[in-house]
């Protein structure tokens, strides 16, 4: 496969310039042999943290930092994201190697961390133009994707010394309470209260939960695929929300982004992954595959489906809140309030079993 399909960064967005010299001086202290200043480009896929590529003649790195403006409590914690991946790397092959973390916000206006760049294909709304992916390849990619999620959920986090990553027991109730609060704090005049959905989630908390390592943003566009075998996963990215949580809630989060060919117009318009292609599993097939391979038995998956959709609505509203209050100028966020309406409508349909 030619290099034309490998994911690359683009121009830095207005208002999001990265100071080159301070970053270079900081990085020189941690990596030997860096000559000259790096070329700086920015990835456009993320709607939350800002992600840059630092390109030297003989090496490339990824830098992640928090966005400007008001941040929800606990969100955009670069130090936590760095330490989590550093601890997870020895027991989970899909994590990039960490280079270093900087907690001095004076350096570039935010704390940040740098990691190795994993080269490959990132399937965003579409696969790269000209890359033909067969139905059989799509099916195998889905299986490999959810096998890697199952592998994460199967890590013995206590033996690996990762039991400090979250509070564990009581996760389900904390998540519902937390996302309710985040949504309400970020609410603007042009979105619904969400009370009907929130009340249903609170009344229907599962009687039991399992605790494992969870990613909480596990999507196709957070995977780096091998350019020589598009079904093989080189890395899993974006660990900002990873913690000790319930695996079924992690799966519900993933399915909130999963758009099928038969989904409505709004879903197709907001699709961010090529999950509509022939061979891609349906949401129901994914649930069946996951439960079978995890040896779990769930009578009614609706709670996890509704939770995933409501959580996504809260995330979208937090992002829109920043745009609404002129804390970001990214035009991609201008109509996120419409997406919030749609997601809450989806929640209500799922509650009714439609």
């Amino acid at each position: 496969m030619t290099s034309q399909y490998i994911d690359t960064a683009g121009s830095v967005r207005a208002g999001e310039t990265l100071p080159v010299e301070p970053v270079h001086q900081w990085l020189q202290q941690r990596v030997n042999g860096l000559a000259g200043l790096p070329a700086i480009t920015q990835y456009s896929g993320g709607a939350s943290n800002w992600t840059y590529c630092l390109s030297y003649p003989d090496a490339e790195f990824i830098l992640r930092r928090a966005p400007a403006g008001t941040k929800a409590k606990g969100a955009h914690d670069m130090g936590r994201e760095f330490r989590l991946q550093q601890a997870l790397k020895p027991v989970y092959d899909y994590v990039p190697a960490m280079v270093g973390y900087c907690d001095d916000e004076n350096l570039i206006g935010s704390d940040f961390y740098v990691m190795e760049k994993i080269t490959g294909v990132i399937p965003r709304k579409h696969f790269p133009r000209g890359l033909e992916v067969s139905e059989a390849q799509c099916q195998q990619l889905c299986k490999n994707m959810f096998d890697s999620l199952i592998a994460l959920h199967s890590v013995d986090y206590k033996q690996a010394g990762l039991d400090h990553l979250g509070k564990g027991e009581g996760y389900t109730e904390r998540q519902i309470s937390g996302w309710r609060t985040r949504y309400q704090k970020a609410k603007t005049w042009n979105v619904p209260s969400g009370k009907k959905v929130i009340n249903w989630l609170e009344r229907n908390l599962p009687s039991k939960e399992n605790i494992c390592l969870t990613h909480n943003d596990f999507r196709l566009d957070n995977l780096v695929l091998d350019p020589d075998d598009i079904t093989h996963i080189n890395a899993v990215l974006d660990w900002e929300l990873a913690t000790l949580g319930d695996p079924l809630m992690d799966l519900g989060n993933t399915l909130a982004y999963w758009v099928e060919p038969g989904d409505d117009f709004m879903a197709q318009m907001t699709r961010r992954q090529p999950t509509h292609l022939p061979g891609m599993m349906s949401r129901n097939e994914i649930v069946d595959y996951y439960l079978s391979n995890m040896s779990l038995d769930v009578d009614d998956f609706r709670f996890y489906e509704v939770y995933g959709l409501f959580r996504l609505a809260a995330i979208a509203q937090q992002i829109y809140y920043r745009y609404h209050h002129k804390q970001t100028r990214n035009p991609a966020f201008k109509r996120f309030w419409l997406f919030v309406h749609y997601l809450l409508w989806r929640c209500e349909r799922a509650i009714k079993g439609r």
Side-chain angles (χ1 to χ4, degrees), residues 151-353:
L152 176 67
H153 291 170
S154 301
V155 168
D156 188 334
Y157 64 86
K158 292 181 180 178
Q159 185 175 2
L162 296 168
D163 49 332
H164 64 282
L165 294 179
K167 297 178 181 178
E169 186 178 349
Y171 174 83
T172 306
E173 187 173 359
R174 287 194 305 273
Q175 285 296 295
I176 301 305
S177 174
W179 286 110
R180 176 195 65 208
T181 301
R182 293 180 195 108
Y183 181 80
Q184 291 171 343
K185 285 185 175 180
K187 186 184 178 303
T188 48
W189 67 269
N190 50 354
V191 297
S193 68
K195 287 181 180 179
K196 185 175 180 180
V197 174
I198 294 167
N199 291 342
W200 185 89
L201 287 167
E202 291 176 337
R203 290 195 309 267
N204 288 273
L205 287 170
S207 57
K208 64 178 182 178
E209 65 181 3
N210 298 307
I211 297 298
C212 68
L213 284 171
T214 56
H215 183 278
N216 294 313
D217 204 11
F218 193 81
R219 307 192 312 259
L220 271 171
D221 56 337
N222 274 333
L223 305 182
V224 182
L225 308 181
D226 189 334
D228 295 318
D229 178 2
I230 204 65
T231 71
H232 180 77
I233 298 166
N234 283 346
V236 177
L237 305 177
D238 201 351
W239 292 87
E240 177 190 359
L241 301 173
T243 189
L244 300 182
D246 185 276
L248 295 176
M249 297 180 81
D250 204 8
L251 183 60
N253 294 337
T254 296
L255 296 183
Y257 293 93
W258 202 271
V259 177
E260 301 174 5
D263 284 341
D264 58 54
F265 173 78
M266 189 67 171
Q268 301 299 338
M269 287 292 293
T270 56
R271 178 178 56 78
R272 296 177 58 190
Q273 314 163 88
T275 54
H276 65 304
L277 295 178
M280 292 288 183
M281 291 182 180
S282 68
R283 289 184 293 270
N284 287 338
E285 287 172 337
I286 290 166
V287 172
D288 290 343
Y289 182 85
Y290 178 88
L291 294 179
S292 175
N293 283 276
M294 284 289 285
S295 300
L296 295 174
D297 185 19
V298 178
D299 293 332
D300 188 351
F301 197 77
R302 276 188 309 162
F303 174 84
Y304 305 103
E305 179 184 1
V306 174
Y307 161 71
L309 290 167
F310 174 70
R311 171 185 169 275
L312 181 54
I315 292 172
Q317 182 58 26
Q318 286 179 317
I319 295 169
Y320 176 73
Y321 180 93
R322 296 208 325 270
Y323 179 87
H324 184 79
H325 290 280
K326 305 185 188 308
Q327 295 169 358
T328 175
R329 291 180 286 179
N330 189 339
F333 306 150
K334 183 177 182 178
R335 301 192 187 278
F336 267 36
W337 66 275
L338 289 171
F339 189 38
V340 174
H341 276 264
Y342 170 73
L343 288 168
L344 291 174
W345 175 79
R346 282 272 303 274
C347 286
E348 293 184 12
R349 283 180 59 86
I351 288 170
K352 296 174 182 177

Side-chain angles (χ1 to χ4, degrees), residues 14 41 65 80 88 98 118-119 121 135 137-138 155 175 187 201 212 287 292 294 311 344 350:
T41 48
R65 58 151 290 175
R80 182 183 183 278
L88 188 54
M98 299 295 106
I118 304 292
T119 299
V121 177
E135 186 171 338
Q137 285 177 311
C138 284
V155 168
Q175 285 296 295
K187 186 184 178 303
L201 287 167
C212 68
V287 172
S292 175
M294 284 289 285
R311 171 185 169 275
L344 291 174

Side-chain angles (χ1 to χ4, degrees), residues 9-47:
S11 300
V12 176
R13 292 188 291 264
E16 299 179 9
T17 301
L18 185 70
V20 180
E21 290 196 14
V23 170
H24 171 68
Q25 292 171 8
W26 178 88
L27 198 54
Q28 271 189 318
Q29 299 173 15
R30 289 153 183 84
V31 180
N32 295 325
L34 295 180
L37 296 176
I40 306 292
T41 48
Q42 186 179 23
Y43 288 96
S44 61

